[in-house]
Amino acid sequence: MSDSSPSAITAELERLAAEATRKLASVDELAELDRLAGELLGKRSALAGLKTSLGALDPEDRRRVGRLLNDTRAELEAAVTAARERLAQAERRRRLEAERLDLTESLDRIPRGHVHLVSQARDRLEDVFVGMGFTIAEGPEVETDWYNFEALNIPDWHPARGSFDTLFVELGEPEQVMLRSHTSPVQIRVMESTEPPIYIVAPGRTYRADTADATHLPAFNQIEGLVVDEDITMADLAGTIDEFVKAFFGGEVTSRLRPSYFPFTEPSAEFDISTPDGGWLELGGCGMVHPNVLRNCGVDPERWQGFAFGFGIDRLAVMRYRLDDIRELVNNDVRFLSQF
Ligand code: DAH
């Protein structure tokens, strides 16, 4: 540089700083940055050259321009550090990107499943009854004679036992342990462990030694309802069933009770729901809890009354979706199941 006046040096410093900033901004490789840092700050840099030229200035100017030169140097050093950090970050990002597993492609290709038809029906039943103030209860699928029969007012000589086609489990005492043939034993368990008032429904799997056909499955699902409170009458039972039927099937559907017999209820009834063509479909059994059953659970029948009901969830799904054959529910044919 020929002109080494203070103003010329100052102008040159500004030019250098601007040029360095521009170059640093466009660097995209570490090696390139190292080279540039040497060029800007090294022994042979323009900056170093300017420093030498300070010697020609008078002391006052030398101090002032010298300070400016130091500031510029500090500024360039900071800019190099910032550029180094920017490159390191970009490198980290590149590495992460390369190591990331892209799962979206395979997800796109696997069709999404959904909740099984029977589970959907069970979930909806629970929702409807919870909406009516019931809570959900559960019991074991392997039961003793007491819970499955005896406490439900079905002694071992009782002819009603024959209708349950019970599957027995040999566990030390043959004929004493069985796969529950209905969800009614949950009534007993709840009354034994809970003080009335009781408002529960108990959905669950049940078993009978039935050969599967269009209307039967050996392993199926029922839902049990039990209410025990003061001043409960048959009208409460009929009202609850009707309310449930309307909530589950829709407002146009009504229900009716027909006299029937169950050992654990007195009086007993079967309940039907109306069909669009003016007919009736049988849904389940119900009745006023038999005083013997209340007594078996330590509930005083003079003070408390109750009603109970029970019906098949799989049957309900068959009715709701107008299936021809209940076995479709367990054939595990995705072409069938994916329709619902
Ligand atoms: N447990 C009976 C069955 O499986 C159904 C039933 C009838 C349940 C009347 C009840 C009831 O709670 O009151 O055939």
Side-chain angles (χ1 to χ4, degrees), residues 212-319:
D213 62 24
T215 53
H216 296 84
L217 291 174
F220 54 107
N221 294 274
Q222 285 192 338
I223 185 163
E224 192 80 12
L226 174 69
V227 165
V228 181
D229 205 339
E230 283 165 326
D231 301 323
I232 293 292
T233 71
M234 198 94 184
D236 297 303
L237 166 61
T240 302
I241 295 215
D242 209 51
E243 185 74 23
F244 147 71
V245 162
K246 287 191 162 46
F248 190 83
F249 291 98
E252 345 55 81
V253 181
T254 56
S255 66
R256 72 171 184 188
L257 302 188
R258 264 180 307 109
S260 185
Y261 171 79
F262 297 99
F264 29 92
T265 42
E266 181 59 37
S268 302
E270 264 161 299
F271 61 97
D272 302 338
I273 60 165
S274 63
T275 58
D277 58 10
W280 296 93
L281 277 175
E282 183 189 322
L283 190 56
C286 61
M288 302 304 292
V289 180
H290 196 293
N292 287 350
V293 175
L294 294 173
R295 269 191 289 271
N296 284 339
C297 304
V299 176
D300 177 8
E302 297 299 325
R303 175 165 177 211
W304 304 100
Q305 301 79 46
F307 66 76
F309 56 87
F311 54 92
I313 300 178
D314 318 75
R315 286 248 169 104
L316 190 80
V318 166
M319 283 159 66

Side-chain angles (χ1 to χ4, degrees), residues 45 52 248:
S45 63
T52 323
F248 190 83

